[in-house]
Amino acid sequence: MSRESIHYWKCDRRSAFHGIRREEKPKLSESELRAALEDSLGRPIVSMDFKESPGNHLIWLVTVDVKSAVPEYLVRVEDGPEGDGYLAVESFLLDKVRGEGVSTPRVIACDSSRKRSSFAWQLLENIPHPNLQHWHERGELPLLDLAPSIGASIARWQQVPVAGFGPFRTEFVHERATLKGYHAAYADYFNLNLKQHLQLLRDNAF
């Protein structure tokens, strides 16, 4: 699907909030996912552990080495009814950002075509450590100490060449290996769906 009319995925998509805070295992075929991953890795999977996630994607931790103390891979799955293929854009962007010297998990494989499976998936290097939000919620995030390195990372990833504004066009990633937003001007993206969003907040007395 095109994200041209999307400002914020969680509220502008056809099936808003699909997959958010899903606590039970999804209905998609885990055996289908396992087969796709094993075909990509060329190795049998020892274990797949489903994890609750606050984001839109379904998450599994995957182990292939029986001697591994922690899972080697993290799998993200997009199973929404829109048939969205943005995981390919995110994979491309992770590699581009890492090319500028910013630490990102390595993308092992990604298939957002839905030709071999009924969902899109992305296989990432697993980083077995909590994220910054975890430490922030515990009141243990040394923000003043981290601020310089965070700022440096932002400066580096802003060196990635892009054109336009808003979500990146998936066809430009696939066909031209470039990042181009759907909108020519920032105002076009900023005002996209703004009235609907404000009305929703008003209707719900937010």
Side-chain angles (χ1 to χ4, degrees):
M1 65 164 289
S2 167
R3 289 202 177 192
E4 186 173 4
S5 62
I6 298 292
H7 183 277
Y8 185 50
W9 179 240
K10 289 183 180 179
C11 59
D12 290 333
R13 66 189 297 192
R14 185 191 312 162
S15 182
F17 303 105
H18 174 84
I20 296 296
R21 298 193 182 282
R22 192 181 303 184
E23 297 180 359
E24 298 179 355
K25 277 195 174 183
K27 295 181 180 178
L28 68 81
S29 170
E30 197 169 271
S31 61
E32 183 182 3
L33 176 60
R34 178 187 287 266
L37 296 176
E38 289 183 336
D39 182 60
S40 178
L41 289 168
R43 298 181 62 185
I45 290 174
V46 174
S47 66
M48 289 179 55
D49 297 318
F50 177 73
K51 299 295 182 181
E52 181 185 354
S53 168
N56 292 95
H57 299 105
L58 301 166
I59 301 294
W60 279 263
L61 292 179
V62 173
T63 302
V64 296
D65 187 346
V66 293
K67 298 180 181 179
S68 178
V70 295
E72 296 103 321
Y73 304 111
L74 183 147
V75 181
R76 302 167 72 213
V77 171
E78 164 55 48
D79 68 337
E82 297 90 354
D84 183 62
Y86 212 69
L87 279 178
V89 175
E90 295 180 15
S91 296
F92 180 79
L93 191 54
L94 279 171
D95 288 340
K96 296 294 286 187
V97 167
R98 189 170 56 260
E100 297 294 335
V102 180
S103 296
T104 65
R106 291 184 304 114
V107 179
I108 310 303
C110 178
D111 184 0
S112 61
S113 67
R114 287 179 168 76
K115 293 179 179 178
R116 293 187 296 175
S117 57
S118 58
F119 43 81
W121 57 268
Q122 178 192 55
L123 184 66
L124 298 171
E125 168 193 14
N126 181 41
I127 299 176
H129 302 286
N131 59 22
L132 296 183
Q133 183 68 18
H134 168 85
W135 300 113
H136 173 68
E137 291 175 353
R138 293 165 61 99
E140 299 178 22
L141 181 66
L143 187 56
L144 291 179
D145 294 334
L146 290 174
S149 60
I150 293 174
S153 292
I154 293 172
R156 290 191 186 101
W157 77 55
Q158 287 183 340
Q159 299 307 305
V160 174
V162 301
F165 298 88
F168 298 118
R169 305 176 69 112
T170 54
E171 69 271 21
F172 273 67
V173 168
H174 288 304
E175 299 168 10
R176 308 184 191 184
T178 58
L179 294 164
K180 180 177 176 61
Y182 280 101
H183 307 283
Y186 179 66
D188 296 334
Y189 173 59
F190 181 87
N191 291 303
L192 184 68
N193 303 334
L194 181 60
K195 290 183 179 179
Q196 298 96 303
H197 293 174
L198 294 176
Q199 188 61 51
L200 178 66
L201 297 178
R202 181 170 182 155
D203 291 345
N204 288 276
F206 189 78

